[in-house]
Amino acid sequence: MISQGTRGRGGTAARPEFAKEAQRGDVPLARFGHTTTPVGGGRVVLFGGATGDSGRYTITADAYSLDTNTDTWVKITAEDTSASLFHCWMRPSNVR
């Protein structure tokens, strides 16, 4: 994950400087076509997408939660999920 601002190197809005932060836990493979959705409490959920490169890739049905305060990933286990690529997910309004 790439962070900006006080946790990264800083820079300006027009020319930000980024820093790669150390990740902990069940770090997911690099992917494309996934969603990342903030769900409150400094957490972000990553779902689906494809791993590999554009010539040989695997569409996934896995999900992970990232605690942005500690840069710690946790794999989310769910039943009956379908592999998904280039989809959309929105946080329910009653989740804070």
Side-chain angles (χ1 to χ4, degrees):
M1 180 172 177
I2 307 275
S3 297
Q4 176 187 0
T6 58
R7 296 180 66 195
R9 292 190 179 117
T12 66
R15 193 173 179 106
E17 294 179 20
F18 297 92
K20 188 171 183 177
E21 306 235 354
Q23 303 294 294
R24 298 168 185 78
D26 303 318
V27 179
L29 294 172
R31 61 193 62 218
F32 62 94
H34 58 280
T35 57
T36 52
T37 306
V39 294
R43 291 177 300 131
V44 175
V45 171
L46 177 148
F47 176 73
T51 59
D53 62 35
S54 60
R56 302 182 94 169
Y57 58 87
T58 302
I59 299 173
T60 68
D62 52 7
Y64 294 84
S65 173
L66 171 65
D67 181 330
T68 60
N69 297 306
T70 63
D71 291 328
T72 303
W73 290 93
V74 175
K75 186 165 186 177
I76 299 170
T77 304
E79 294 181 19
D80 299 325
T81 58
S82 298
S84 186
L85 183 64
F86 298 112
H87 54 276
C88 178
W89 191 72
M90 295 176 56
R91 179 183 73 144
S93 61
N94 62 341
V95 175
R96 296 189 192 267

